[in-house]
mmCIF file of all heavy atoms in Angstrom:
data_model
loop_
_atom_site.group_PDB
_atom_site.id
_atom_site.type_symbol
_atom_site.label_atom_id
_atom_site.label_comp_id
_atom_site.label_asym_id
_atom_site.label_seq_id
_atom_site.Cartn_x
_atom_site.Cartn_y
_atom_site.Cartn_z
ATOM 1 N N ALA S 8 -11.235 24.079 0.632
ATOM 2 C CA ALA S 8 -11.447 22.641 0.637
ATOM 3 C C ALA S 8 -10.128 21.905 0.874
ATOM 4 O O ALA S 8 -9.088 22.309 0.372
ATOM 5 C CB ALA S 8 -12.037 22.195 -0.703
ATOM 6 N N LEU S 9 -10.146 20.854 1.667
ATOM 7 C CA LEU S 9 -8.971 20.108 1.970
ATOM 8 C C LEU S 9 -8.849 18.899 1.004
ATOM 9 O O LEU S 9 -9.823 18.261 0.659
ATOM 10 C CB LEU S 9 -9.017 19.538 3.399
ATOM 11 C CG LEU S 9 -8.762 20.541 4.509
ATOM 12 C CD1 LEU S 9 -9.011 19.822 5.841
ATOM 13 C CD2 LEU S 9 -7.366 21.085 4.463
ATOM 14 N N PHE S 10 -7.606 18.700 0.597
ATOM 15 C CA PHE S 10 -7.307 17.460 -0.092
ATOM 16 C C PHE S 10 -6.758 16.480 0.968
ATOM 17 O O PHE S 10 -5.729 16.744 1.540
ATOM 18 C CB PHE S 10 -6.263 17.670 -1.214
ATOM 19 C CG PHE S 10 -5.718 16.396 -1.775
ATOM 20 C CD1 PHE S 10 -6.401 15.723 -2.751
ATOM 21 C CD2 PHE S 10 -4.534 15.865 -1.287
ATOM 22 C CE1 PHE S 10 -5.885 14.526 -3.246
ATOM 23 C CE2 PHE S 10 -4.001 14.704 -1.813
ATOM 24 C CZ PHE S 10 -4.695 14.041 -2.763
ATOM 25 N N THR S 11 -7.456 15.419 1.241
ATOM 26 C CA THR S 11 -7.119 14.555 2.337
ATOM 27 C C THR S 11 -6.753 13.174 1.850
ATOM 28 O O THR S 11 -7.440 12.607 1.024
ATOM 29 C CB THR S 11 -8.311 14.457 3.321
ATOM 30 O OG1 THR S 11 -8.667 15.733 3.760
ATOM 31 C CG2 THR S 11 -7.902 13.598 4.546
ATOM 32 N N LEU S 12 -5.656 12.664 2.402
ATOM 33 C CA LEU S 12 -5.239 11.311 2.061
ATOM 34 C C LEU S 12 -5.968 10.338 2.963
ATOM 35 O O LEU S 12 -6.007 10.535 4.175
ATOM 36 C CB LEU S 12 -3.718 11.124 2.238
ATOM 37 C CG LEU S 12 -2.887 12.021 1.314
ATOM 38 C CD1 LEU S 12 -1.428 11.754 1.615
ATOM 39 C CD2 LEU S 12 -3.207 11.751 -0.127
ATOM 40 N N THR S 13 -6.534 9.275 2.446
ATOM 41 C CA THR S 13 -7.229 8.290 3.237
ATOM 42 C C THR S 13 -6.611 6.949 3.066
ATOM 43 O O THR S 13 -5.844 6.700 2.149
ATOM 44 C CB THR S 13 -8.717 8.210 2.780
ATOM 45 O OG1 THR S 13 -8.770 7.874 1.413
ATOM 46 C CG2 THR S 13 -9.452 9.537 3.024
ATOM 47 N N SER S 14 -6.950 6.012 3.932
ATOM 48 C CA SER S 14 -6.412 4.657 3.878
ATOM 49 C C SER S 14 -7.001 3.978 2.663
ATOM 50 O O SER S 14 -8.113 4.226 2.226
ATOM 51 C CB SER S 14 -6.803 3.874 5.141
ATOM 52 O OG SER S 14 -6.294 4.505 6.271
ATOM 53 N N PRO S 15 -6.242 3.007 2.057
ATOM 54 C CA PRO S 15 -6.739 2.325 0.894
ATOM 55 C C PRO S 15 -8.034 1.579 1.236
ATOM 56 O O PRO S 15 -8.178 0.992 2.285
ATOM 57 C CB PRO S 15 -5.611 1.300 0.612
ATOM 58 C CG PRO S 15 -4.419 1.919 1.244
ATOM 59 C CD PRO S 15 -4.874 2.651 2.457
ATOM 60 N N SER S 16 -8.983 1.587 0.267
ATOM 61 C CA SER S 16 -10.266 1.007 0.498
ATOM 62 C C SER S 16 -10.205 -0.479 0.720
ATOM 63 O O SER S 16 -10.975 -1.074 1.515
ATOM 64 C CB SER S 16 -11.203 1.276 -0.691
ATOM 65 O OG SER S 16 -10.655 0.759 -1.908
ATOM 66 N N TRP S 17 -9.181 -1.176 0.119
ATOM 67 C CA TRP S 17 -9.096 -2.588 0.221
ATOM 68 C C TRP S 17 -8.669 -3.061 1.599
ATOM 69 O O TRP S 17 -8.822 -4.231 1.939
ATOM 70 C CB TRP S 17 -8.186 -3.162 -0.800
ATOM 71 C CG TRP S 17 -6.766 -2.684 -0.706
ATOM 72 C CD1 TRP S 17 -6.184 -1.595 -1.285
ATOM 73 C CD2 TRP S 17 -5.719 -3.251 0.095
ATOM 74 N NE1 TRP S 17 -4.892 -1.467 -0.942
ATOM 75 C CE2 TRP S 17 -4.577 -2.463 -0.079
ATOM 76 C CE3 TRP S 17 -5.654 -4.353 0.942
ATOM 77 C CZ2 TRP S 17 -3.379 -2.765 0.549
ATOM 78 C CZ3 TRP S 17 -4.444 -4.644 1.568
ATOM 79 C CH2 TRP S 17 -3.327 -3.841 1.363
ATOM 80 N N ALA S 18 -8.124 -2.119 2.413
ATOM 81 C CA ALA S 18 -7.613 -2.513 3.720
ATOM 82 C C ALA S 18 -8.716 -2.955 4.637
ATOM 83 O O ALA S 18 -8.473 -3.554 5.668
ATOM 84 C CB ALA S 18 -6.831 -1.382 4.369
ATOM 85 N N GLN S 19 -9.995 -2.588 4.314
ATOM 86 C CA GLN S 19 -11.083 -2.875 5.215
ATOM 87 C C GLN S 19 -11.880 -4.134 4.836
ATOM 88 O O GLN S 19 -12.875 -4.465 5.426
ATOM 89 C CB GLN S 19 -12.021 -1.678 5.253
ATOM 90 C CG GLN S 19 -11.333 -0.420 5.724
ATOM 91 C CD GLN S 19 -12.250 0.799 5.772
ATOM 92 O OE1 GLN S 19 -13.426 0.682 5.459
ATOM 93 N NE2 GLN S 19 -11.729 1.915 6.195
ATOM 94 N N GLY S 20 -11.473 -4.828 3.834
ATOM 95 C CA GLY S 20 -12.208 -6.024 3.437
ATOM 96 C C GLY S 20 -11.434 -6.906 2.499
ATOM 97 O O GLY S 20 -10.339 -6.555 2.074
ATOM 98 N N ASN S 21 -11.980 -8.038 2.192
ATOM 99 C CA ASN S 21 -11.338 -8.972 1.282
ATOM 100 C C ASN S 21 -11.509 -8.460 -0.144
ATOM 101 O O ASN S 21 -12.556 -7.969 -0.553
ATOM 102 C CB ASN S 21 -11.950 -10.350 1.392
ATOM 103 C CG ASN S 21 -11.705 -10.958 2.786
ATOM 104 O OD1 ASN S 21 -10.636 -10.712 3.374
ATOM 105 N ND2 ASN S 21 -12.664 -11.729 3.284
ATOM 106 N N ALA S 22 -10.431 -8.637 -0.979
ATOM 107 C CA ALA S 22 -10.483 -8.187 -2.356
ATOM 108 C C ALA S 22 -9.415 -8.949 -3.123
ATOM 109 O O ALA S 22 -8.453 -9.451 -2.540
ATOM 110 C CB ALA S 22 -10.214 -6.665 -2.437
ATOM 111 N N PRO S 23 -9.574 -9.059 -4.448
ATOM 112 C CA PRO S 23 -8.520 -9.678 -5.255
ATOM 113 C C PRO S 23 -7.194 -8.919 -5.051
ATOM 114 O O PRO S 23 -7.189 -7.730 -4.828
ATOM 115 C CB PRO S 23 -9.045 -9.535 -6.701
ATOM 116 C CG PRO S 23 -10.504 -9.351 -6.529
ATOM 117 C CD PRO S 23 -10.717 -8.611 -5.235
ATOM 118 N N GLN S 24 -6.082 -9.660 -5.092
ATOM 119 C CA GLN S 24 -4.798 -9.046 -4.812
ATOM 120 C C GLN S 24 -3.862 -9.099 -5.950
ATOM 121 O O GLN S 24 -3.767 -10.088 -6.669
ATOM 122 C CB GLN S 24 -4.198 -9.769 -3.598
ATOM 123 C CG GLN S 24 -4.873 -9.504 -2.264
ATOM 124 C CD GLN S 24 -4.111 -10.112 -1.108
ATOM 125 O OE1 GLN S 24 -3.325 -11.010 -1.264
ATOM 126 N NE2 GLN S 24 -4.384 -9.610 0.073
ATOM 127 N N GLY S 25 -3.152 -7.987 -6.139
ATOM 128 C CA GLY S 25 -1.992 -7.950 -6.989
ATOM 129 C C GLY S 25 -0.758 -8.106 -6.119
ATOM 130 O O GLY S 25 -0.892 -8.063 -4.887
ATOM 131 N N MET S 26 0.407 -8.260 -6.713
ATOM 132 C CA MET S 26 1.582 -8.483 -5.908
ATOM 133 C C MET S 26 2.816 -7.799 -6.502
ATOM 134 O O MET S 26 3.027 -7.843 -7.717
ATOM 135 C CB MET S 26 1.895 -9.994 -5.822
ATOM 136 C CG MET S 26 3.024 -10.373 -4.938
ATOM 137 S SD MET S 26 2.588 -10.287 -3.168
ATOM 138 C CE MET S 26 1.519 -11.736 -3.047
ATOM 139 N N VAL S 27 3.555 -7.088 -5.653
ATOM 140 C CA VAL S 27 4.893 -6.526 -5.997
ATOM 141 C C VAL S 27 5.899 -7.251 -5.130
ATOM 142 O O VAL S 27 5.689 -7.412 -3.911
ATOM 143 C CB VAL S 27 4.918 -5.026 -5.751
ATOM 144 C CG1 VAL S 27 6.320 -4.503 -6.069
ATOM 145 C CG2 VAL S 27 3.876 -4.298 -6.567
ATOM 146 N N THR S 28 6.996 -7.709 -5.747
ATOM 147 C CA THR S 28 8.012 -8.434 -4.995
ATOM 148 C C THR S 28 9.357 -7.754 -5.175
ATOM 149 O O THR S 28 9.515 -6.843 -6.021
ATOM 150 C CB THR S 28 8.109 -9.868 -5.479
ATOM 151 O OG1 THR S 28 8.485 -9.879 -6.851
ATOM 152 C CG2 THR S 28 6.782 -10.584 -5.317
ATOM 153 N N GLY S 29 10.324 -8.183 -4.400
ATOM 154 C CA GLY S 29 11.651 -7.632 -4.522
ATOM 155 C C GLY S 29 12.493 -7.912 -3.286
ATOM 156 O O GLY S 29 12.172 -8.789 -2.478
ATOM 157 N N THR S 30 13.534 -7.104 -3.115
ATOM 158 C CA THR S 30 14.429 -7.242 -1.947
ATOM 159 C C THR S 30 14.714 -5.861 -1.398
ATOM 160 O O THR S 30 14.637 -4.833 -2.106
ATOM 161 C CB THR S 30 15.751 -7.943 -2.286
ATOM 162 O OG1 THR S 30 16.434 -7.129 -3.334
ATOM 163 C CG2 THR S 30 15.527 -9.338 -2.835
ATOM 164 N N VAL S 31 15.053 -5.832 -0.099
ATOM 165 C CA VAL S 31 15.516 -4.612 0.565
ATOM 166 C C VAL S 31 16.946 -4.875 1.025
ATOM 167 O O VAL S 31 17.218 -5.906 1.693
ATOM 168 C CB VAL S 31 14.604 -4.274 1.767
ATOM 169 C CG1 VAL S 31 15.218 -3.146 2.574
ATOM 170 C CG2 VAL S 31 13.225 -3.921 1.290
ATOM 171 N N ALA S 32 17.872 -3.970 0.720
ATOM 172 C CA ALA S 32 19.264 -4.183 1.102
ATOM 173 C C ALA S 32 19.977 -2.872 1.321
ATOM 174 O O ALA S 32 19.456 -1.791 0.984
ATOM 175 C CB ALA S 32 19.961 -4.973 -0.032
ATOM 176 N N TYR S 33 21.128 -2.962 1.940
ATOM 177 C CA TYR S 33 22.050 -1.801 2.107
ATOM 178 C C TYR S 33 23.430 -2.275 1.967
ATOM 179 O O TYR S 33 23.726 -3.505 2.047
ATOM 180 C CB TYR S 33 21.821 -1.076 3.419
ATOM 181 C CG TYR S 33 21.829 -1.996 4.632
ATOM 182 C CD1 TYR S 33 23.031 -2.462 5.158
ATOM 183 C CD2 TYR S 33 20.653 -2.386 5.228
ATOM 184 C CE1 TYR S 33 23.048 -3.315 6.267
ATOM 185 C CE2 TYR S 33 20.635 -3.219 6.335
ATOM 186 C CZ TYR S 33 21.838 -3.689 6.842
ATOM 187 O OH TYR S 33 21.850 -4.530 7.930
ATOM 188 N N ARG S 34 24.423 -1.376 1.705
ATOM 189 C CA ARG S 34 25.790 -1.766 1.432
ATOM 190 C C ARG S 34 26.661 -1.834 2.682
ATOM 191 O O ARG S 34 27.744 -2.399 2.623
ATOM 192 C CB ARG S 34 26.405 -0.792 0.410
ATOM 193 C CG ARG S 34 25.661 -0.839 -0.963
ATOM 194 C CD ARG S 34 26.430 0.004 -1.960
ATOM 195 N NE ARG S 34 25.833 -0.128 -3.301
ATOM 196 C CZ ARG S 34 24.905 0.711 -3.775
ATOM 197 N NH1 ARG S 34 24.467 1.718 -3.021
ATOM 198 N NH2 ARG S 34 24.405 0.563 -4.966
#
């Protein structure tokens, strides 16, 4: 049996959203 990674279910429709914020940087 294969363990398969699939796309998140919410990507295909509208759903309540959580939010992660932050910054991306390099030196």
